[in-house]
Every structure is written in structure tokens, then in C-alpha cells.
Amino acid sequence: MRLIVNGNETDVTATNFADLLLELGYENMPVATALNMAVVRKKDRAMVELHEGDRVEILVPMQGG
Amino acid sequence: MDSLAFYGVPVASRLLLGTAQYPSPSILKDAIERSQADILTVSLRRESTGGSGGREFWKLISGMGCKILPNTAGCHSAKEAITTAEMARDVFDTDWIKLEVIGNADTLQPDVFGLVEAARELSAQGFKVFPYTTDDVIVGEKLLSVGCEVLMPWGAPIGSGKGLNNRFALKAMRAHFPTVPLVIDAGLGVPSHAADAMELGFDAVLLNTAVAKAGDPVMMAEGFALAVKAGRLAYRAGAIEARDMAVPSTPVFGQPFV
């Protein structure tokens, strides 16, 4: 399945958000996530299914002013 | 007792510090310590797959013992800012949000219409909004009316280092909102700018670039910390009125040779 992850086309095998984070190497990282501009909370990730062409955002804490 | 609280939460310092643009993580850490800041601003950004910058940064910041104020920097619409705030709450476990809705890419001037719209929605969702706004008192009133309990007017454009561009408007704002916590956010360049803001009666200052891009960020952090304290003391002490004419400070009475 091809998704748009952080603006980049990405082929993945995961079918839900929790598995996607594992597949992309974000396990044990503090991340915030969104699917098609809607927030996906930590507690909901395993229940949120992914579909071809979905736009995924995976954000991490960064320096900010 | 000279205390300050935001949304009922006491804070130990009137200097809020940004965490961006430092030469290295160790300098960032030392600058935070030297500034004695109690509130640090952070952001959310994309990281390349498998990268560890975010994890390392968060490990450093979360170990500082400071309160975290996530921002919505770079958002150009209320919708973007609201979504970013919701994501920040999920990862940082705080309902505090430094709300930025940028209206112009060159000046980084707040889009005050989008700002009020986003502040209304976020306040309704239970967020404690710290709005980066202009020095316009009407906008300030709108922000308060939708649930904000603190206002953060700009001193000058972000990163410009110009100090307080419009002291008249800022003084008017302080007078108009005598009991609302007011934080000068952005535009400060040197410690005297911070002292100036504090002498006008502002409750705190928020800065980043002036420290991070200084020749010695750690030393500059201490300079700002001292200036904030000095300015606050001066405000509380009550300054003299400026005069156009000289007035001798040494008693005239008893002067010899007259």
C-alpha cells in the first residue's frame, strides 16, 4: 500500500497506524500523529485503519521558539 | 511576595525561553540553566524515518525540570494551528499551547483574525492558550472574551532584535489590562530590551533568538535573567519622573564659598 508519509510517497505493509509506526522505526519515540489532517491520538492508533493514498503526518518534539 | 501564575499555575521565573537555533545541545542545556527559565517553548516537526534528533532533544528538555509550552509556529491558518495544538497535547501531555497563526511570511506578523478563531476553538476544547498577538488592545479584548487568560504581544517582529517597537501601544495595553498577565513575546535583542519591557510593567518576556544566536548564548542567558529581575524590581519600586531640567542631588544648603 502506498501512503504519503510526511510529504513523501512511501510503500508500507502496515494496515493500521500503530503498526505503521513500528514499521517505520518510530517505536518508543514520543510522536504525534495525524491522518488526512485529523489528529490520531496515542490511544486510538491501533484502531485506525490505513488506506491507499492516505496522508500521514508523524511529528516529533523539536526545538521551538 | 511577587508571584506570577499562568492559568493558576505558579511560575518561578519571568523569563520564558525558546529552545531553537542553539549551536549545540550542550549549549542549549547550559543556557537554560543559566537563564533560570521555568517555561521552555518547543515545537513539533517532521523527522526523517529512523532519525533520532527528536528523541534526543526531548530527552534533554524533559530532563530540565521546566514546564513545557508547545507552539504552533509556522501555522498560517486557524485550522493548521488547531490541528498542531491537538497533536502537541497528545505528545507533550499538556493543555498549554503557545498559539501562533502567522499572517505574513516576511514579517511573521500574527493573523489576528485567525488567531481569535483558533483561540476560541482551542479554549472550548480545554486548552490554556498563550496567544502570540500584536499590541492592539481590541484584539486583546477579543482574545480574552474567547477564553484566553494571558496575552503575549510582540515587541518587534520575531528574530529582529529591535526591542519594543511601539512603547506607546504597549504602555496603553498594560494600562488597559491591569490584571491580565502580559508577556512580551518576540523581537527582543539585548537584555536592556527585556528590562525596558519589565519596567513598563509587563509580567514576563519570552525570547529565543537573542540568546541562541548570541556570541556566547550561555552568558547572554544570564544577562537576560538579570535584566528581567532588574526591570521587575524597578517597576515595583516606582521610577522617578523624567525632567527636562537638572536638579542637584547634593544639598544646596551649607554649600561653601557662596
Side-chain angles (χ1 to χ4, degrees):
Chain A
M1 176 165 54
R2 179 161 292 188
L3 307 175
I4 310 296
V5 179
N6 287 351
N8 299 312
E9 289 191 352
T10 306
D11 291 314
V12 300
T13 58
T15 58
N16 69 58
F17 221 117
D19 289 344
L20 177 69
L21 293 179
L22 287 174
E23 183 174 340
L24 297 181
Y26 288 100
E27 68 271 23
N28 302 321
M29 283 188 67
V31 296
T33 51
L35 177 63
N36 300 323
M37 282 296 288
V39 177
V40 177
R41 295 187 166 79
K42 277 179 280 194
K43 61 184 176 60
D44 299 327
R45 285 174 191 153
M47 297 177 290
V48 174
E49 294 183 358
L50 301 170
H51 301 94
E52 182 77 21
D54 276 347
R55 301 187 70 87
V56 169
E57 290 289 341
I58 304 171
L59 306 184
V60 299
M62 281 288 174
Q63 296 85 347
Chain B
M1 184 71 176
D2 183 35
S3 60
L4 174 64
F6 296 124
Y7 290 98
V9 177
V11 294
S13 170
R14 293 175 182 272
L15 173 57
L16 289 68
L17 193 64
T19 57
Q21 305 184 83
Y22 290 81
S24 71
S26 65
I27 292 176
L28 166 62
K29 181 175 183 292
D30 290 347
I32 292 169
E33 289 174 345
R34 195 76 74 86
S35 75
Q36 301 176 45
D38 189 28
I39 297 176
L40 305 176
T41 56
V42 299
S43 71
L44 280 176
R45 287 291 182 269
R46 292 170 173 172
E47 184 167 64
S48 57
T49 302
S52 62
R55 177 166 24 204
E56 295 303 315
F57 169 73
W58 183 236
K59 184 178 175 184
L60 187 159
I61 293 300
S62 58
M64 298 299 299
C66 298
K67 300 171 181 64
I68 300 301
L69 179 58
N71 70 26
T72 64
C75 292
H76 285 257
S77 71
K79 180 173 173 48
E80 281 179 41
I82 291 166
T83 302
T84 302
E86 291 171 342
M87 296 176 79
R89 179 160 65 178
D90 197 47
V91 71
F92 293 115
D93 290 322
T94 178
D95 51 13
W96 283 14
I97 190 74
K98 179 190 172 192
L99 182 60
E100 299 182 33
V101 182
I102 300 301
N104 183 280
D106 291 328
T107 64
L108 299 182
Q109 181 166 353
D111 168 4
V112 295
F113 304 99
L115 183 68
V116 172
E117 178 186 347
R120 177 185 291 110
E121 171 62 25
L122 291 171
S123 296
Q125 290 188 31
F127 281 90
K128 309 294 190 292
V129 178
F130 293 63
Y132 163 62
T133 184
T134 65
D135 47 31
D136 188 311
V137 295
I138 307 305
V139 174
E141 286 182 345
K142 298 289 185 188
L143 289 166
L144 297 176
S145 73
V146 299
C148 296
E149 296 181 14
V150 56
L151 299 174
M152 302 209 301
W154 63 351
I158 294 171
S160 67
K162 289 183 173 297
L164 306 185
N165 259 358
N166 192 340
R167 296 179 87 256
F168 170 79
L170 291 170
K171 287 173 71 174
M173 193 172 202
R174 177 70 285 177
H176 195 76
F177 302 114
T179 61
V180 177
L182 298 180
V183 181
I184 292 292
D185 177 11
L188 304 187
V190 289
S192 59
H193 295 158
D196 190 16
M198 299 305 293
E199 287 169 12
L200 290 182
F202 283 84
D203 295 283
V205 300
L206 194 166
L207 53 99
N208 189 156
T209 307
V211 169
K213 303 298 281 185
D216 184 332
V218 180
M219 192 180 295
M220 188 62 84
E222 181 175 1
F224 269 100
L226 293 170
V228 166
K229 289 177 182 172
R232 180 64 183 174
L233 285 171
Y235 172 70
R236 294 180 65 208
I240 65 167
E241 290 291 328
R243 297 170 184 250
D244 291 329
M245 299 297 291
V247 179
S249 51
T250 301
V252 175
F253 178 78
Q255 183 175 344
F257 316 121
V258 292

